Amino acid sequence: MKKSKNKSLRDFEKVIRECVKCGVCQAHCPTYQVIKKEGAVARGKIALAAALLDGETGLEERLQQDISMCLMCGSCVSKCPNKVPTHGIVGAIRREITDNQGLSLIGKGVSTLLGSPVLMKTLGKSGAILAPLLLKKVPDTSGLRLRFPSLIMKDRTIPHIAFRNLFDRVPEFIEGRADKPVVGFFAGCAITYVYPEIGEMMVAILQRMGVSVYVPRSQQCCGIPALSSGNGKLVEQLAETNVGAFRKKEVRHIITACASCNGGIGEYYETMTADYHDFTGKVIDFSVFLKQQGLFAELAGMDKWPERIKVTYHDPCHLKIQGITKEPRELLRALPNVDFVEMESASTCCGLGGTFSVYHYEESKAIGARKIPGLIESGAELIATACPGCIIQLQDIINHAGLQVRAGHILELIAEALK
Amino acid sequence: MYDQLVTELIDIVGKDNVLTAMSDRITHSYDATQEKHLPDVVVYAASTEEVSQVVKIANRLKMPLLPRGAGSGFTGGTLPVRGGIVLVLTKMDRIIDIDTENLTAEVEPGVVTAELQRQVEKLGLFYPPDPASKEFSTLGGNVAECAGGPRCVKYGVTKDYVLGLEVVTPTGDIIRTGGRTLKNVVGYDLTKLFVGSEGTLGIATKIILKLLPKPAAKKTMLVQFETIDGAAKSVSAIIGAKIIPTTLEFMDAATINCIRDVCTIPLPENCQAVLIIEVDGDAQLLDKQVEQILAVIKPFGILHTKIAVTDEESEEIWQVRRIVSPSLRKINPDKFNEDIVVPRSKVPDMIRALEKIAADYGVVIVNFGHAGDGNIHVNVMVDMKEHGMEAKIEKVMDEIFGAAVKLRGAISGEHGIGTSKAKYMNMELDIATISYMQRIKAALDPNNILNPGKIFLESYPQPPAAVSIQEPRK
Ligand SMILES: Cc1cc2nc3c(=O)[nH]c(=O)nc-3n(C[C@H](O)[C@H](O)[C@H](O)COP(=O)(O)OP(=O)(O)OC[C@H]3O[C@@H](n4cnc5c(N)ncnc54)[C@H](O)[C@@H]3O)c2cc1C
Ligand code: SF4
Ligand code: SF4
């Protein structure tokens, strides 16, 4: 068999042994905090990983359930004194499970979802169930199919699939000023198919700066949902395609406006046993890029609007664990059309977690619901974030709580300010 | 029999809360000591009633039963060294009530320490005990180990805040100790007996805690010293001057070496010791207190003093303290972490004794901790792969504990005895005292089911069997 470009569990052996069982991760693991069982926390999973390596247990059903109880959010990693990469280790175990038993078994943990009559009422108003028909517009390899398989997500509220996707809306290449670099834009599935307008705004902002923008048509899903469901082969295939897509033109940066994609094509590809470093080194979150380009200063210099919207911020895990927590907030503070307020639990996970919410929708909602008291207390009308996955999940959580708050992308606010 | 046990347990707590798979046993086989002992079955309880019924089964079957909180203990308290049932209490995590008139809180044992602190602080109240593990350790575990932390210099340890308990006894009865009042002399003080009993005498299922008004303000400073002796003398001088800061933490040169590279506050090479001093109270009085402290420690070779003005600066100072533990691994792979305590005036003597032991045996000993209450975290950093290290470490430990006891200190200030320190108990306590404790244990837990093999070594003399006076003479 050809050696996989994904790391195997064995490749993680050294870091697995570095867990000192201190239990610090309990304070930061969102699944542990709602489930309160050791199998749900990073320490428990590391113990299982070690036991698998030592042959003390096999891939038994209960182990699979525990391993499925992970959002791969990495919250535990940044607070772990030894930086044990639990999200990576969980990914490796999930790949072992699928390698052993095929993909379908991963779905074994799918919890039966209870219909909620109350919710059905809100549904009509605030969103629609993703119709299988609409999903036809989305490629087979897209993570959207893994994340929101409509059949089993009975009471989830999600937005419509857009009629015209991003690639129908923006050209593949937009020439900018000669003295400015060429930058690539990696859109990701959610922006391409669900929120193409966010992608358009990103491109327009870049255009306004004078850079040339390259949006290769051959780019695909970043692979995070596939990674989360243990489909190592699909991750490899997607990585290869995406790296190839941005080889066709010399770009200085590859910009993302989706935190998960950033974590996927930036962080995860970096760990693969392939030479993607040239690619991964260019990946940059839009907030960091816009700061570098001086947009924050420009925004801060504008006159404050008399009527401002009260906005709070949700930290997407994939940015938080890279330490990108200041830039989005600075951006929101700089915006003339926004009154920024901090909320309690801003940095706790929304609960989406790759494909986690598909298999564990009830837990996923419970994790997200932990943000609600802080959100209410903040008095915000809009909860802005930097990841479309979080937006979908946050809006669902808000709908379930019956609040009148909207979840949106920071780029919408920038676009409004620059209008 | 195993199947019968599992069926009975499922009847009590439900199927989802009885875990029997190999992977479940593995995930409940350890705590922060990193030792590993597999339990036979794991049970998650949701109420006092459930706890009581599970205990009754264990007692009937004479099966070991191990209460477990967050499993962050440093002395193996929750390890199933003889197998049995691990009874996890993390799901009993309700704050039952916070009484703002009487300044008390009643909680279930699985409430995480910091969570209670956050909730009471919202109401202008304060629960002082602050183990470094407060963000994840449970109050049940804190009560069982009588946890302490930096703030204990001024505010005392967990036992000073427990007013009353609901306890499931080793035979499954439900009893109540103490109450909601500050004064209570009705009968024996069972509350104090349970606090620190490491889950060997009963399972706390409700805890009534004393709260204080939240201090209005605090001020933090970091002082760098030329010598460890200067820092140690400063501690004695501050206390001698009748000033009780909230915290008085110290780090020695070996500790500073570990963190210099990762620390945001510059710590030059000639800085041989650091004190972190915090005072709290009325905002107007704080500046005066800081001045007083600085005047008292002035003669002891100070290199630099940083006084935090903003909350961020204070946080930066505390971060220096928090990165210590995780940074130690850099020296040597194996860490023997002890938490001896000596009368606070003896801190300089203890530090000198530790330096001598390190030199005599050629091992690295890193010391930091709560100088203000004499509680020193002694970390002997070695590589166990080195030839003869095992024997050497035994001797080093004997010497360290010996030195602490000689200075009229104790072999553990906060972490407890568990399995890790059981063999050193007799260095501090005489046989009569140990046997008195064992008789209490034997009387309350006749089948020795609750956390057996902890605190007491088997080799201690067993109490003589009770003889009935009515027994007819043969
Ligand atoms: C990084 C780190 C830092 C630490 N810092 C400190 C510190 O500063 N100060 C300090 O004092 N300790 C510290 N500790 C040790 C530990 O956190 C404390 O001993 C804590 O009180 C244990 O709580 P737990 O919930 O984890 O209990 P566990 O480890 O689960 O159990 C500890 C003991 O309590 C018993 N127990 C648990 N719940 C109950 C109950 N409801 N009724 C009866 N018995 C029960 C168990 O059987 C066991 O014997 C630290 C540990 C770590 C890992
Ligand atoms: S925080 Fe890290 S080292 Fe500590 S138990 Fe969790 S994974 Fe292990
Ligand atoms: S990656 Fe997230 S969900 Fe998974 S163990 Fe770590 S903190 Fe918990």
Side-chain angles (χ1 to χ4, degrees):
Chain A
M1 206 172 86
K2 195 168 82 117
K3 173 123 178 55
S4 166
K5 291 195 178 89
N6 296 296
K7 278 191 180 162
S8 72
L9 185 56
R10 199 47 78 182
D11 292 332
F12 284 105
E13 169 143 24
K14 189 168 162 283
V15 285
I16 288 171
R17 309 282 181 208
E18 275 168 15
C19 168
V20 292
K21 303 276 183 291
C22 61
V24 168
C25 39
Q26 292 175 86
H28 308 285
C29 172
T31 54
Y32 177 77
Q33 282 172 8
V34 304
I35 295 166
K36 290 276 177 173
K37 286 188 176 164
E38 184 75 26
V41 78
R43 178 172 67 173
K45 290 172 183 122
I46 300 300
L48 292 177
L52 279 171
L53 286 174
D54 296 339
E56 288 168 10
T57 174
L59 295 166
E60 57 180 42
E61 192 174 330
R62 276 287 303 130
L63 179 141
Q64 294 194 22
Q65 281 168 9
D66 281 346
I67 294 300
S68 79
M69 280 294 171
C70 178
L71 297 143
M72 295 175 77
C73 64
S75 303
C76 52
V77 187
S78 37
K79 295 292 161 62
C80 167
N82 300 313
K83 302 279 172 285
V84 179
T86 305
H87 56 338
I89 294 164
V90 164
I93 301 178
R94 289 188 185 170
R95 287 193 292 279
E96 295 229 329
I97 296 172
T98 48
D99 286 352
N100 261 280
Q101 307 167 346
L103 263 179
S104 60
L105 259 155
I106 272 288
K108 248 191 160 177
V110 176
S111 48
T112 17
L113 302 173
L114 301 165
S116 146
V118 184
L119 194 75
M120 293 317 286
K121 278 193 213 139
T122 7
L123 264 183
K125 277 183 264 163
S126 54
I129 295 176
L130 188 57
L133 193 71
L134 290 172
L135 211 52
K136 279 199 186 128
K137 295 180 198 275
V138 175
D140 284 342
T141 48
S142 167
L144 285 177
R145 288 177 180 275
L146 290 167
R147 278 183 156 179
F148 306 108
S150 52
L151 288 176
I152 51 172
M153 306 283 294
K154 279 209 200 80
D155 64 354
R156 175 183 270 290
T157 57
I158 56 167
H160 289 281
I161 292 286
F163 185 67
R164 287 171 62 230
N165 72 40
L166 181 69
F167 300 144
D168 297 336
R169 299 177 184 218
V170 298
E172 184 159 27
F173 186 71
I174 302 165
E175 184 91 46
R177 291 213 313 261
D179 59 329
K180 294 273 183 173
V182 181
V183 300
F185 176 44
F186 183 90
C189 305
I191 288 185
T192 307
Y193 301 105
V194 185
Y195 297 116
E197 64 283 359
I198 295 177
E200 281 181 294
M201 290 169 194
M202 183 77 251
V203 172
I205 293 167
L206 292 172
Q207 238 181 311
R208 185 178 173 277
M209 288 175 166
V211 294
S212 299
V213 190
Y214 178 48
V215 194
R217 294 298 184 256
S218 51
Q219 59 174 295
Q220 286 193 356
C221 174
C222 65
I224 284 276
L227 186 70
S228 157
S229 61
N231 192 344
K233 287 208 186 69
L234 181 54
V235 179
E236 274 184 83
Q237 182 195 322
L238 292 169
E240 199 55 34
T241 312
N242 288 327
V243 172
F246 284 88
R247 264 200 205 109
K248 289 179 202 134
K249 230 178 213 7
E250 186 59 41
V251 295
R252 176 95 44 97
H253 300 287
I254 299 169
I255 296 167
T256 60
C258 166
S260 299
C261 292
N262 188 286
I265 67 169
E267 272 196 304
Y268 186 72
Y269 292 4
E270 179 73 25
T271 68
M272 295 178 84
T273 54
D275 192 17
Y276 294 155
H277 307 299
D278 183 44
F279 174 93
T280 55
K282 290 178 183 164
V283 175
I284 185 168
D285 178 67
F286 75 96
S287 66
V288 180
F289 180 76
L290 296 182
K291 184 176 181 182
Q292 279 175 10
Q293 298 295 315
L295 186 77
F296 288 21
E298 187 188 336
L299 290 169
M302 294 164 85
D303 286 340
K304 289 269 175 205
W305 293 16
E307 300 261 303
R308 293 184 297 274
I309 177 171
K310 205 166 177 185
V311 178
T312 191
Y313 178 67
H314 159 77
D315 286 286
C317 295
H318 285 285
L319 292 188
K320 179 182 71 184
I321 59 173
Q322 298 185 63
I324 306 175
T325 54
K326 288 203 192 81
E327 291 82 354
R329 289 181 168 78
E330 283 172 30
L331 193 44
L332 287 168
R333 283 207 179 88
L335 280 167
N337 47 340
V338 164
D339 251 343
F340 176 68
V341 283
E342 195 57 79
M343 68 176 261
E344 208 178 302
S345 313
S347 67
T348 63
C349 180
C350 68
L352 185 66
T355 51
F356 177 85
S357 83
V358 179
Y359 304 136
H360 304 293
Y361 186 43
E362 291 307 317
E363 287 82 358
S364 162
K365 270 194 297 191
I367 292 168
R370 293 163 57 87
K371 301 195 72 91
I372 293 294
L375 180 58
I376 295 175
E377 214 175 50
S378 77
E381 302 155 71
L382 184 124
I383 178 164
T385 188
C387 180
C390 297
I391 295 175
I392 297 176
Q393 170 82 355
L394 289 171
Q395 194 64 62
D396 188 44
I397 302 296
I398 292 168
N399 293 347
H400 280 267
L403 302 187
Q404 293 299 319
V405 180
R406 196 169 74 77
H409 200 289
I410 299 181
L411 283 170
E412 299 169 34
L413 296 165
I414 304 179
E416 187 184 59
L418 294 179
K419 231 185 244 162
Chain B
M1 184 188 123
Y2 185 76
D3 291 345
Q4 163 85 33
L5 167 70
V6 171
T7 318
E8 279 189 52
L9 291 172
I10 289 176
D11 280 346
I12 301 167
V13 297
K15 197 161 148 290
D16 287 348
N17 293 313
V18 180
L19 310 180
T20 55
M22 189 57 187
S23 62
D24 296 318
R25 296 166 62 206
I26 290 170
T27 50
H28 297 82
S29 65
Y30 49 75
D31 65 2
T33 52
Q34 299 189 63
E35 271 183 53
K36 185 166 161 185
H37 300 273
L38 288 179
D40 295 300
V41 51
V42 181
V43 177
Y44 278 80
S47 68
T48 306
E49 198 42 50
E50 287 183 4
V51 171
S52 156
Q53 290 187 43
V54 173
V55 173
K56 280 181 182 154
I57 294 182
N59 192 38
R60 194 184 73 222
L61 301 175
K62 301 194 172 43
M63 220 178 160
L65 185 90
L66 299 107
R68 181 182 169 100
S72 73
F74 268 144
T75 50
T78 190
L79 296 178
V81 286
R82 298 182 190 169
I85 305 169
V86 163
L87 179 64
V88 196
L89 300 155
T90 46
K91 291 178 108 183
M92 291 177 68
D93 63 348
R94 271 186 318 140
I95 297 177
I96 297 164
D97 121 84
I98 299 172
D99 182 341
T100 52
E101 279 172 14
N102 294 302
L103 307 196
T104 60
E106 183 169 357
V107 299
E108 289 188 331
V111 172
V112 170
T113 318
E115 181 56 26
L116 176 72
Q117 288 171 334
R118 276 189 284 271
Q119 295 308 326
V120 302
E121 280 173 35
K122 279 187 187 165
L123 302 169
L125 299 173
F126 184 46
Y127 175 69
D130 59 341
S133 51
K134 66 180 177 179
E135 290 293 339
F136 47 98
S137 70
T138 66
L139 286 162
N142 289 176
V143 167
E145 299 286 3
C146 188
R151 287 205 286 245
C152 297
V153 185
K154 179 168 175 183
Y155 291 106
V157 293
T158 304
K159 72 173 168 214
D160 301 312
Y161 293 86
V162 184
L163 293 176
L165 294 170
E166 176 186 81
V167 175
V168 173
T169 71
T171 47
D173 299 323
I174 301 168
I175 65 165
R176 279 172 197 82
T177 76
R180 288 170 173 268
T181 53
L182 293 182
K183 297 179 178 176
N184 184 334
V185 290
V186 184
Y188 292 146
D189 189 348
L190 297 180
T191 312
K192 282 272 191 304
L193 176 64
F194 277 116
V195 178
S197 67
E198 303 190 19
T200 60
L201 297 182
I203 301 172
T205 45
K206 288 201 183 83
I207 305 166
I208 301 173
L209 295 164
K210 176 174 88 175
L211 305 174
L212 298 179
K214 190 176 163 203
K218 62 181 179 190
K219 210 150 201 141
T220 318
M221 56 189 148
L222 185 144
V223 190
Q224 304 185 11
F225 290 87
E226 280 164 8
T227 62
I228 181 78
D229 213 47
K233 284 189 176 136
S234 296
V235 172
S236 306
I238 294 170
I239 306 284
K242 305 194 174 52
I243 306 168
I244 304 285
T246 323
T247 63
L248 199 37
E249 296 284 298
F250 90 104
M251 295 170 202
D252 71 356
T255 312
I256 296 165
N257 281 337
C258 292
I259 58 169
R260 185 171 286 119
D261 295 345
V262 283
C263 182
T264 51
I265 297 177
L267 298 169
E269 294 285 336
N270 60 344
C271 165
Q272 293 291 302
V274 160
L275 283 184
I276 297 176
I277 309 168
E278 192 169 278
V279 289
D280 69 3
D282 201 357
Q284 280 117 350
L285 299 178
L286 290 185
D287 288 335
K288 196 161 153 263
Q289 273 203 42
V290 169
E291 259 168 54
Q292 261 181 317
I293 292 174
L294 291 178
V296 171
I297 63 177
K298 200 159 174 229
F300 300 112
I302 294 170
L303 288 169
H304 184 258
T305 304
K306 180 184 167 75
I307 301 173
V309 180
T310 62
D311 281 355
E312 284 84 49
E313 283 174 358
S314 149
E315 186 49 30
E316 188 183 19
I317 290 181
W318 279 113
Q319 197 51 31
V320 175
R321 170 68 178 82
R322 277 189 223 116
I323 53 175
V324 169
S325 239
S327 306
L328 294 182
R329 302 167 45 90
K330 284 181 200 150
I331 308 180
N332 259 325
D334 300 299
K335 169 168 109 174
F336 290 81
N337 159 357
E338 301 303 340
D339 79 320
I340 55 157
V341 55
V342 293
R344 40 194 173 194
S345 65
K346 300 290 184 204
V347 169
D349 303 78
M350 190 64 216
I351 295 289
R352 272 192 292 273
L354 287 165
E355 279 180 348
K356 183 165 183 311
I357 297 168
D360 287 354
Y361 289 87
V363 290
V364 182
I365 305 184
V366 184
N367 304 300
F368 59 91
H370 322 305
D373 53 25
N375 190 189
I376 306 174
H377 292 304
V378 178
N379 294 269
V380 187
M381 307 301 302
V382 293
D383 186 348
M384 290 307 277
K385 290 190 287 295
E386 246 171 69
H387 180 71
M389 192 46 90
E390 200 136 337
K392 194 190 238 180
I393 257 302
E394 286 275 300
K395 289 210 194 97
V396 170
M397 289 303 163
D398 277 356
E399 295 249 358
I400 293 174
F401 292 137
V405 171
K406 212 164 113 204
L407 292 168
R408 309 194 131 188
I411 63 174
S412 175
E414 355 173 274
H415 297 166
I417 299 299
T419 49
S420 320
K421 291 191 196 171
K423 65 180 172 202
Y424 301 109
M425 275 262 280
N426 63 353
M427 291 181 81
E428 190 182 325
L429 302 178
D430 56 33
I431 295 296
T433 312
I434 292 173
S435 124
Y436 190 85
M437 291 182 182
Q438 284 185 296
R439 284 206 296 269
I440 295 175
K441 166 76 175 162
L444 296 178
D445 184 4
N447 293 319
N448 197 20
I449 59 153
L450 262 191
N451 227 343
K454 305 296 166 67
I455 308 183
F456 309 107
L457 271 191
E458 291 318 288
S459 57
Y460 288 130
Q462 291 299 311
V467 181
S468 157
I469 24 173
Q470 270 96 37
E471 205 176 339
R473 294 170 137 247
K474 299 228 171 77

